[in-house]
Amino acid sequence: MKVIDKIYNMEDGLTKTFGIQYFSIDDLNTIEARMKCTASTSQPWGNMSGGAIIALAENLAGVASICLSPNKIVLGINVCANHISSIYKGESVIA
């Protein structure tokens, strides 16, 4: 099974907990992920937690690194985010 096929079918860790779905677009060197705002990713008042969004970004960066460097261990060292709009329960964010 190719690495990308394994990634699309991941059901462990944050991928499962947050319901992250990975998909590719027309560019073969590009991968995207979708995460829906649910009870597990939202703050008590209904908008998505900034921590969940950062976790999505970190997970997606790790997945992209694996795709670009198969058979190597790739680790990130820093993540930084600016939240510019809100996402509410039922809506999704795509990264």
Side-chain angles (χ1 to χ4, degrees):
M1 181 182 274
K2 293 191 300 187
V3 172
I4 195 70
D5 293 330
K6 289 180 185 177
I7 290 166
Y8 290 149
N9 297 310
M10 286 173 66
E11 291 191 13
D12 60 343
L14 286 178
T15 298
K16 183 176 181 178
T17 302
F18 287 170
I20 298 170
Q21 299 172 312
Y22 298 98
F23 56 95
S24 61
I25 58 173
D26 293 336
D27 182 352
L28 295 177
N29 293 317
T30 302
I31 187 166
E32 292 185 354
R34 177 183 296 120
M35 182 172 64
K36 192 170 186 175
C37 185
T38 63
S40 64
T41 61
S42 66
Q43 297 179 353
W45 39 91
N47 64 316
M48 189 172 280
S49 167
I53 293 171
I54 292 170
L56 171 65
E58 179 71 18
N59 249 27
L60 184 56
V63 166
S65 297
I66 292 167
C67 290
L68 293 172
S69 304
N71 303 317
K72 294 184 180 179
I73 296 174
V74 182
L75 302 172
I77 58 169
N78 188 28
V79 64
C80 181
N82 292 308
H83 305 286
I84 57 173
S85 66
S86 296
I87 298 164
Y88 296 94
K89 281 189 181 173
E91 298 177 339
S92 295
V93 61
I94 297 175

